[in-house]
Amino acid sequence: MRSTPYRLYALVDCNNFFVSCERVFNPKLNNRPVVVLSSNDGCVISRSNEAKKLGIAMGEPFFKLRDVVQQHNIVVLSSNFALYGDLSTRIMNVIMHFFPDVDIYSIDEAFIDLTSLCKNFDVYKLCADLSQKIEQYTGVPVSIGIAPSKTLAKVANHIAKKHVGTHRVFYLDCTQKTQGILQEFAVGDVWGIGRQTERKLHAMGIYTVAELLTLPNKVVHENFTVVMKRILLELQGISCIKLKDTAANKQQIMISRSFGHRVTELAQLQEAIATYTTMACEKLRRQSSITAGIYVFLHTGLHGAPETVYRNSLYISLPHRSSDTRQIIHWAKRGIRHLFRPGFKYKKVGVILCDLSSADSMQIDLFGHANLVHSEELMQLIDEINNKFGRATVQFAAAGLEKSWKTQFAKRSAAFTLSWHKLPKVRLQPL
């Protein structure tokens, strides 16, 4: 049994998550270089280890890679966020089944507070078992870093990804080991240190975490914000970042997409904003919230001759807080109509639901109760149908039917876990 500090955290991170999700249902992708592209097949957002070894960088535009893809026979896939989201939910449910205190940090990451367990259990073994269970239940490999602070857990996870061991778990538990690792750990790889801060540190001659920890307090105080002070304490094993409430709701909900081709007509822009507003309202109701206002925005892109570039946004305060898709679509379409300028070729529109609060806090006038009940029942019925039979089984006419503007996913895989018609087919060969 290892000796443990006052606090102890683990970071569970899925390895090459989007690629790993694709490999679950297509084993032919194993041991091959694979990349997954962003919306509209624009740039690389996930790479297999084989693709990384070929020098393909995260965020690299796909059009620059066509020769490399052909030369090395790289498999290129469009993003399939419905599939990735479903597998993410399954992975997080596995984690929460085995551990009581979990903070879901992103679609492929979760922190676990191990403090209450470390006195009576071997937490390394618990995490090794968890790694094995996640891969067994979902097919997705994960790496787990364990440390006395969340920032050090990120460092430990970074090491675990390169760890040759079977379970891909690394425990950063003693001062001597920590100091040895931080001697070579780049400051730019530390959670919370962005590119601007990295450049500033490099200008001061600071390249590794060990060098960063030697900075006098006076220098830190004069040159950096309180965020850097907190990072430094975390790197020393002093926990400053608490585990958030896993049920905490988002304070804003944004949905936006690039179009499959440039759009010039107001009607198509309004169809798109109605579609994205519908998606945002579904998320809003899922966390039992209501919104007091919305931002709508549109733009042609950042590049091109000045006379061809246009971008604008508008905040709309709703007459009363709501989660009713019909009402919010009405105001979103009005906003886009106000922003629209003919003669431009638009690349993207989007909506942000702002000033969110709990649905339980809604205040209505004396005669508004009946309308509110009707609205809630209707939205609940639509959500239940779409959850059972698939998104957009029931949709609003304002969102259109053909959606010729829709984002293109030329190489998207099937939604294997979300549709009966797209379940993987298994063929048995006779003995």
Side-chain angles (χ1 to χ4, degrees):
M1 186 82 67
R2 289 172 168 82
S3 60
T4 52
Y6 177 64
R7 303 216 59 89
L8 197 66
Y9 297 98
L11 172 65
V12 182
D13 188 4
C14 302
N15 298 340
N16 310 322
F17 182 53
F18 297 164
V19 170
S20 295
C21 290
E22 298 287 353
R23 284 175 165 173
V24 170
F25 298 98
N26 188 358
K28 292 181 181 179
L29 299 178
N30 292 338
N31 303 315
R32 292 189 61 185
V34 182
V35 296
V36 174
L37 304 179
S38 62
S39 298
N40 253 6
D41 296 342
C43 59
V44 175
I45 56 173
S46 184
R47 309 155 294 161
S48 67
N49 290 335
E50 296 81 4
K52 293 176 184 177
K53 290 178 181 178
L54 295 174
I56 296 177
M58 182 69 82
E60 194 162 358
F62 177 57
F63 73 87
K64 293 183 178 181
L65 298 173
R66 296 189 186 277
D67 292 340
V68 178
V69 167
Q70 188 171 5
Q71 179 183 353
H72 296 282
N73 195 25
I74 299 172
V75 179
V76 179
L77 298 170
S78 302
S79 52
N80 188 344
F81 292 114
L83 175 65
Y84 309 152
D86 185 62
L87 284 175
S88 172
T89 299
R90 297 179 185 212
I91 291 167
M92 299 307 166
N93 285 340
V94 174
I95 297 172
M96 290 187 286
H97 176 77
F98 289 101
F99 292 91
D101 300 317
V102 179
D103 171 16
I104 299 174
Y105 179 66
S106 68
I107 191 172
D108 62 343
E109 292 178 282
F111 285 100
I112 305 171
D113 191 337
L114 299 171
T115 308
S116 62
L117 302 173
C118 60
K119 294 179 181 178
N120 300 312
F121 297 93
D122 184 337
V123 292
Y124 181 91
K125 185 178 184 305
L126 290 178
C127 289
D129 290 343
L130 176 65
S131 174
Q132 186 269 329
K133 291 293 185 186
I134 291 174
E135 189 162 6
Q136 177 186 350
Y137 294 168
T138 68
V140 176
V142 302
S143 297
I144 303 178
I146 308 169
S149 70
K150 293 175 83 171
T151 302
L152 279 179
K154 277 272 192 178
V155 174
N157 187 276
H158 186 87
I159 297 165
K161 285 183 179 295
K162 301 179 180 180
H163 199 50
V164 185
T166 305
H167 303 297
R168 294 181 297 274
V169 177
F170 189 82
Y171 192 157
L172 202 55
D173 61 347
C174 66
T175 303
Q176 185 176 0
K177 183 192 292 185
T178 303
Q179 290 302 316
I181 289 168
L182 300 185
Q183 288 285 349
E184 299 182 1
F185 202 87
V187 290
D189 291 333
V190 174
W191 184 40
I193 294 182
R195 292 184 180 179
Q196 186 174 350
T197 303
E198 181 185 15
R199 287 193 292 267
K200 188 174 182 179
L201 290 168
H202 286 176
M204 300 170 67
I206 305 296
Y207 292 90
T208 69
V209 173
E211 293 170 339
L212 176 61
L213 292 172
T214 63
L215 279 178
N217 291 335
K218 183 179 179 181
V219 175
V220 175
H221 180 74
E222 291 175 351
N223 292 276
F224 299 98
T225 66
V226 66
V227 174
M228 177 59 79
K229 297 176 184 176
R230 188 170 62 182
I231 290 173
L232 286 168
L233 289 172
E234 287 262 323
L235 289 171
Q236 296 172 49
I238 302 171
S239 178
C240 302
I241 305 174
K242 303 296 184 184
L243 205 67
K244 295 183 297 185
D245 180 8
T246 57
N249 291 330
K250 295 181 179 179
Q251 298 305 305
Q252 290 186 341
I253 296 175
M254 181 178 79
I255 301 289
S256 68
R257 301 283 189 275
S258 295
F259 297 132
H261 58 81
R262 299 282 179 158
V263 171
T264 58
E265 301 297 324
L266 174 61
Q268 291 183 313
L269 294 175
Q270 290 187 315
E271 280 188 5
I273 201 66
T275 299
Y276 302 155
T277 300
T278 300
M279 296 164 64
C281 288
E282 289 171 353
K283 290 188 175 184
L284 183 71
R285 292 191 293 272
R286 202 173 298 139
Q287 67 176 42
S288 300
S289 294
I290 50 179
T291 180
I294 62 173
Y295 266 106
V296 290
F297 60 89
L298 80 176
H299 67 74
T300 58
L302 301 176
H303 307 291
E307 63 272 13
T308 67
V309 176
Y310 171 68
R311 58 190 301 139
N312 208 345
S313 62
L314 177 69
Y315 177 77
I316 302 170
S317 181
L318 301 181
H320 56 81
R321 293 179 179 270
S322 177
S323 64
D324 190 317
T325 304
R326 299 168 301 171
Q327 298 173 14
I328 300 174
I329 283 178
H330 167 76
W331 291 104
K333 288 179 63 179
R334 286 187 62 171
I336 289 297
R337 185 167 66 245
H338 178 81
L339 296 175
F340 175 73
R341 299 291 182 272
F344 289 101
K345 296 180 179 179
Y346 294 96
K347 181 180 181 181
K348 177 183 285 189
V349 298
V351 60
I352 306 174
L353 308 185
C354 311
D355 191 11
L356 307 188
S357 59
S358 170
D360 295 333
S361 65
M362 181 183 291
Q363 294 183 350
I364 56 176
D365 59 48
L366 180 61
F367 303 101
H369 180 70
N371 289 334
L372 175 61
V373 171
H374 173 74
S375 168
E376 289 179 343
E377 290 178 345
L378 178 60
M379 293 301 109
Q380 182 180 355
L381 179 61
I382 292 174
D383 290 342
E384 288 177 354
I385 293 172
N386 288 335
N387 288 336
K388 184 173 182 179
F389 297 104
R391 172 174 285 174
T393 299
V394 176
Q395 59 180 316
F396 295 89
L401 296 175
E402 295 184 359
K403 294 182 172 62
S404 60
W405 44 267
K406 196 171 183 180
T407 302
Q408 299 298 311
F409 297 94
K411 304 175 186 297
R412 175 185 274 178
S413 57
F416 298 107
T417 64
L418 301 171
S419 170
W420 287 106
H421 305 292
K422 296 181 180 180
L423 288 174
K425 295 179 175 60
V426 178
R427 292 182 176 86
L428 297 178
Q429 296 292 337
L431 297 175

